[in-house]
Amino acid sequence: MSVPSMSQPLRQGELSRLSTWGRWASIGAAAWCGFCALLTLLAARRRGKALTSLGVSALLVGAAGWAGIEASASYVNNALNLTAGNVRQIATSWSPRRRPACANGST
């Protein structure tokens, strides 16, 4: 699955695989991280230091995620500024619950 460029319009159903498996991938990654953190605590000689280091690493990961969201916000804003037309109307016309409107007005 390739990422469409800004010049190509998104077609309905292109991101359906991502919406199906994205949630399960997130749950699996969170469960794996929790399991590894538990193993780290069980294997550590000094559990207080291990717990502190796990907390600090969680804060660093959270900060990196927040920075990534903030950095991508300008990209999303630029893409929305280049969009011709009402963004809300475009979003509702491409909703999976509705059929997309044709350019010539026919269905």
Side-chain angles (χ1 to χ4, degrees), residues 51-67:
L51 186 60
T52 303
S53 64
L54 286 172
V56 169
S57 64
L59 287 173
L60 290 174
V61 168
W66 184 270

Side-chain angles (χ1 to χ4, degrees), residues 1-94:
M1 175 165 62
S2 65
V3 177
S5 68
M6 291 299 292
S7 62
Q8 295 175 324
L10 274 174
R11 292 186 303 270
Q12 188 173 7
E14 279 190 60
L15 300 176
S16 63
R17 280 187 257 160
L18 181 63
S19 66
T20 302
W21 294 104
R23 177 179 296 160
W24 291 109
S26 298
I27 291 171
W32 181 253
C33 287
F35 177 71
C36 289
L38 182 63
L39 284 179
T40 301
L41 283 175
L42 291 175
R45 289 185 185 172
R46 296 183 176 158
R47 288 191 174 88
K49 284 187 177 184
L51 186 60
T52 303
S53 64
L54 286 172
V56 169
S57 64
L59 287 173
L60 290 174
V61 168
W66 184 270
I69 290 171
E70 289 296 322
S72 66
S74 64
Y75 174 77
V76 172
N77 284 336
N78 289 338
L80 289 175
N81 287 337
L82 295 174
T83 304
N86 185 357
V87 175
R88 292 176 193 257
Q89 184 180 11
I90 293 169
T92 57
S93 68
W94 287 100

